[in-house]
Each structure stands twice: as structure tokens, then as C-alpha cells.
Amino acid sequence: MSEASHSNAPCAASCDDEGAAAGIVRWLSLAAAPTFAIMALLTAVVGGGPLDPLCSAANASPVGGMVPMYLLMSAFHSAPWLKLISRR
């Protein structure tokens, strides 16, 4: 009986680690969209900095600049928020 409990002990520890890792991944996925939205706001208010002309010099994209890029990244990372809202 004691051998069975010892053999299951590593599995129990790894299952707890997987649960903690899933919780961290969930919180990180929720942090992405607001982080990019804040970055877009700060870039719009403060400015892009000295390297911003390098990014928009090519004019290859109709959506130029860092602010639209951050807003798009925020939109693409909003899925975890939409799932959270739809559950309620």
C-alpha cells in the first residue's frame, strides 16, 4: 500500500504544476490585449521616438505607424477577453 502512494506522488506533483502553468498562461493571455492598448495610447500621446520614421519610411502598408500596429495587436489578442465575457 505504501509503494502505491509513493509511485503516485510524482504524478500528483506534476499535475499541480500543470494546473499552475495553465493558470499562468490564462492570466498572460488576458494581459496581452490591455498591454497593447496601453502601448498604443502611450505611443499616440508621447510619440514614437527617434526610430519611428524608420518604421514608416517605406510606406509599404496602408496602415502605417506604431499606433495602428498596437491597436491591431490588441484586437488580435482580445479573444481571451471575449471568451471570458461570453461565459458570464
Side-chain angles (χ1 to χ4, degrees):
M1 184 86 170
S2 63
E3 291 177 15
S5 65
H6 289 295
S7 64
N8 289 335
C11 178
S14 67
C15 293
D16 289 341
D17 291 341
E18 289 174 7
I24 291 170
V25 168
R26 184 173 38 247
W27 284 108
L28 283 175
S29 68
L30 287 172
T35 301
F36 288 126
I38 290 168
M39 290 170 69
L41 181 65
L42 288 174
T43 303
V45 171
V46 177
L51 296 179
D52 198 32
L54 291 175
C55 295
S56 61
N59 290 331
S61 174
V63 181
M66 297 302 289
V67 174
M69 182 196 67
Y70 287 138
L71 290 174
L72 282 171
M73 289 172 67
S74 180
F76 288 139
H77 287 88
S78 65
W81 282 100
L82 296 174
K83 287 179 186 176
L84 183 68
I85 291 168
S86 70
R87 288 182 193 158
R88 293 180 181 220

